Amino acid sequence: MLDKLLTNNPMAARRFADSLEVDFRDFAAADVLKAARDMVHQGHRLRTHPVTSGAAPNGSPFVSIVLSGEAFRTDFDSVSIIEGAMALYAKLGAPRELPEAVAKDFMLIDCEMLAKDTQNIYEITRREEI
Amino acid sequence: MKLTIGNINITDVVLGAESKVEGGTLFVNPKELEALVLEDGNIASVSFDVAKPGESTRITPVKDVIEPRTKADGPGGMFPGVVAKVDTVGSGVTHVLKGAAVVTVGKIVGFQEGIIDMSGPGADYTPFSGTINLVMDFVPRDGLSAQEYEKSLRVAGLKAASFLGDLAKNVKPDEVIEYDFLSATESMKKYPDLPRVGYVQMLQSQGLLHDTYVYGVDMKQSLTTMISPTEVFDGAIVSGNCVSACDKNTTYHHQNNPVVTDLFARHGAELNFAGMIITNENVYLADKIRSSDWTAKLCEMMGFDGVIISQEGFGNPDTDLIMNCKKIEAKGIHTVIITDEYAGRDGTSQSLADVDAAANAVVTGGNANEVVTLPKMDKIIGSQDYVDVIAGGFENNMKSDGSIVVEIQAIIGATNEMGFNKMSAR
Amino acid sequence: MNSKEERDLLKILHYINQFYGGIGGEEHAGHLPEMREGAHGPGMAFAAAFGDAATITHTIVCGDSYFGENLEAAKQTILDMVRQVKPDMFIAGPAFNAGRYGVACGTICDAVKTELGIPVLTGMYVENPGAEMFVDKMHIISTRDSGAGMREAVPKMAKLALKLARGEKIGASIEEGYMPGYMRVNFFEKERGSKRAVDMLLAKMKGEPFVTEFPMPDFDRVEPLPPIADITKARVALVTSGGIVPKGNPDRIEASSASKYGEYDIAGVGDLTEATYETAHGGYDPTYANVDADRVLPVDVLREMETAGKIGSLHNKFYTTTGNGTAVKSSAAFAVEFAAKLKNDGVDAVILTST
């Protein structure tokens, strides 16, 4: 089973279309985090830290989170990390409206944070759970 | 490994017809540097400027700051694996143009930050208001991708700093400092009664604009490993970062790693500086777990009694920091962590994204969200176009009198997590 | 038109308890809030410290018990007094280690700050339960544990009060003397961070005292015991910080900052009804707890489980207190006592409920 990519970044949705099961949500960043939180409570594990970039969160409107495709027992590390990320977004405020060129740059950085050979990571983490 | 650092005090930088170091002045022929930089076809043009302490000058957006150094004697050269060929550095004699710095400027992405003010209230927050800066402002060729642009800019700065450093190969240093890093057995025999202290340096490695290179290797592809602390003085670690200006480590920070310097200062008297570990800060949680396991394991194998852990960046690196701290403490090894805080503009929010009771000894570089008004400067090197989009900027933060209101996170090195500065918070 | 000096003179309203107001000790702790003109008690020392910069125009005196037992009424009366005076600054205390006084100072400062937007300041000893409750909500000057510390506390409070009233930049907690935990403020140390880290590590390795620059939130984690082997044989007890008590609150457990806990017999009780039980707890809407106290202390459900053989038995005593404003230290002390009783009575498991 492929890992899931929960994202509001159209560039990431296209880029990882073959390697991940893309779940594109046209949501604000904070709502993407909430959706990820719900999945975590349903037993999906965080593969990536939801706060990927030093430019986020009080800059970037884009969030991309990789979660396990399969649901296991609720993983408390995942719960605590997603809750911490939600608290950080709540504290530092919603990203502002951006000029188009800048928004594109944010999309690119958001993609690049996940670019490290996702297939390879997937293989390794799968074995950990078997 | 024995390394002698020879500091040549630079009191002025002058653009002129000849490149040389003479009487404490660094003379630079911009044509020579330009030719060197334009070897890379991705750079369309470059302009040069000098910014001195006390001037009404703002440099932004800064990509990197690099100290000109050269290998005057011994194996290897500066920035091995990037500029010099791969060869182990950290021994012999290294000459340093102390007081001078190369500052690279170029807007790779629209939200890039990084301000150096040479005077005024902003100058108090950055160490580079105190150096004489040779600023190189780059224009990329049309259609260059962000990835290629970042690489070109990174390498151009390192090449320039290396070129300038080489000018001082045969200049007599004003000050000589010796560092001797002993092997595990030598140091145990020499200092049997002193506590064995290690340094764990966390290097940012999440991806584009968030990367660090060690001997040219992208650190996110590496397992946690060991390095001689003398190697960092020769540019073994270089910065590929240009976001999170306040708490990223520039190459200059690596070349002058303050934890390494301050541990050496007490070495042989109060402690035995027994080793340095470098680890990464990746986005994938499996990497974080693996790297922090590895860090704790190496600390145990080295028989450390205590370690200092320094962080880089914020957000997900807080998770690496706490994992490292918890796992090392669990081995019965004392830790002190160096971090910074995002406590909100009024300072009343929870400061760290991740906390744990094991982290009972913390040094902080301050609250990066603190707001500062930077007055109008007579001269801008680079561009202020996107100052309102940078992470530390506000909307409509440009006032009619030309001053800008930003969080100090927009200022290069303001809350450095290697403990480079005196700033703290309570 | 007033001269500039007069216009700049800051108006300060001071809150003190019945003891510092010169009314009397514990026997007068029920004193209703009253407002007097000018400075009284410790206010005289403040007035001297303010000099020409500020004047205490009014002083509110209120009994500590009255405040604690009539929280909402006391708050509203005092807020009305503050509205009437419209001060530039509100100071309460200092309360030193007087628990109810400290909680009152914190409570009223919080209300004045959030409801009226007027800057506030109080002072107390670090172990005062009011400090624990309000340290993250306002500036609290750290004082000694008794009135002997007045001489030390007043200049610090006066200096910070003037800055707060004028909207000036507030320094870091170690510079101004307020308790860390409310606001993180940058300042420049004498040594750089790396040197401070080496010093801290050397002290930590030697077992010498050191001060962390960022105290981690204190999580009091308890290692869980192994699971109950057979719950159908276990004796289960109920313990709550939700303030459930027999109707009429026979032991007078306080609505907040409880100084005691209650032990009540529920032998033969199958259901907590509106006629027989209620909550003593302040700080939340008690309607639903009063209508059916099982909502907080689920005796009814546990009786059913007992009957059905799903648990061995329900212990015939429950322990209760109010968690609202009760110091962690007091709670821990209560628990040490009744945990021993539970153990003696052969209880195997406890279900803890809160509000």
Side-chain angles (χ1 to χ4, degrees), chain C residues 72-217:
Chain C
E72 275 315 304
K75 231 162 72 174
Q76 287 318 320
T77 311
I78 295 167
L79 282 176
D80 282 342
M81 291 172 173
V82 181
R83 277 190 197 100
Q84 197 186 318
V85 174
K86 295 194 187 69
D88 300 305
M89 177 76 207
F90 185 85
I91 298 178
F96 306 105
N97 201 21
R100 283 172 309 162
Y101 188 20
V103 173
C105 286
T107 309
I108 197 63
C109 281
D110 192 34
V112 169
K113 182 171 162 248
T114 52
E115 293 188 28
L116 307 180
I118 295 167
V120 299
L121 178 67
T122 182
M124 60 189 83
Y125 181 58
V126 65
E127 285 181 17
N128 191 314
E132 191 182 289
M133 287 168 68
F134 293 101
V135 71
D136 60 343
K137 294 185 179 68
M138 64 190 66
H139 292 101
I140 303 176
I141 291 284
S142 184
T143 72
R144 286 163 68 173
D145 63 354
S146 76
M150 187 70 82
R151 196 190 291 262
E152 247 169 64
V154 166
K156 284 187 207 163
M157 287 182 71
K159 191 175 153 217
L160 183 56
L162 290 178
K163 282 191 177 181
L164 287 165
R166 290 173 182 147
E168 290 174 0
K169 188 175 156 48
I170 306 301
S173 56
I174 50 165
E175 297 174 305
E176 306 277 5
Y178 60 88
M179 293 179 189
Y182 172 50
M183 188 186 252
R184 302 287 294 170
V185 179
N186 293 335
F187 72 107
F188 289 91
E189 277 277 10
K190 290 190 192 68
E191 304 284 357
R192 63 178 180 177
S194 50
K195 167 83 165 30
R196 306 198 308 267
V198 176
D199 289 340
M200 200 182 286
L201 182 63
L202 286 169
K204 188 172 170 179
M205 287 190 302
K206 282 185 220 159
E208 289 171 359
F210 63 91
V211 179
T212 179
E213 296 177 9
F214 181 85
M216 288 284 154

Side-chain angles (χ1 to χ4, degrees), chain C residues 1 18 36 61 64 71 75 111 115-116 142 151 165 200 225 271 278-279 309 315 320 326 328 351:
Chain C
M1 194 70 197
Q18 84 286 346
R36 305 174 185 169
V61 184
D64 288 335
L71 206 62
K75 231 162 72 174
E115 293 188 28
L116 307 180
S142 184
R151 196 190 291 262
M200 200 182 286
L225 287 175
D271 184 20
E278 64 181 5
T279 181
H315 185 48
T320 180
T326 301
V328 172
I351 295 173

Side-chain angles (χ1 to χ4, degrees), chain A residues 46-49 51-58 66 81 84 88 91-92 96 98-99 102 105-106 108-109 112-114 116 118 121 124-125 128, chain B residues 109-111 146-147 206-210 220 282-288 290 314 316 319 342 349-351 369 386 388-391 393 395 409:
Chain A
L46 286 179
R47 295 288 191 231
T48 58
H49 196 292
V51 185
T52 53
S53 157
N58 57 339
V66 182
I81 287 169
L88 192 67
K91 173 174 83 179
L92 297 176
R96 62 211 127 195
L98 297 166
V102 180
D105 284 341
F106 273 118
L108 172 69
I109 295 299
E112 287 289 326
M113 296 297 108
L114 303 183
K116 190 200 156 198
T118 52
I121 287 289
I124 294 164
T125 47
E128 277 170 5
Chain B
V109 287
F111 53 85
Q147 290 90 332
Q206 291 109 337
L208 179 62
L209 308 189
H210 297 68
K220 77 165 91 57
N282 286 8
V283 169
Y284 284 83
L285 293 170
D287 286 351
K288 290 185 186 299
R290 185 183 303 110
F314 91 107
N316 78 69
T319 301
Y342 287 73
S349 300
Q350 169 61 39
S351 284
N369 296 129
Y386 283 109
D388 62 336
V389 202
I390 59 183
E395 233 162 331
Q409 61 165 305

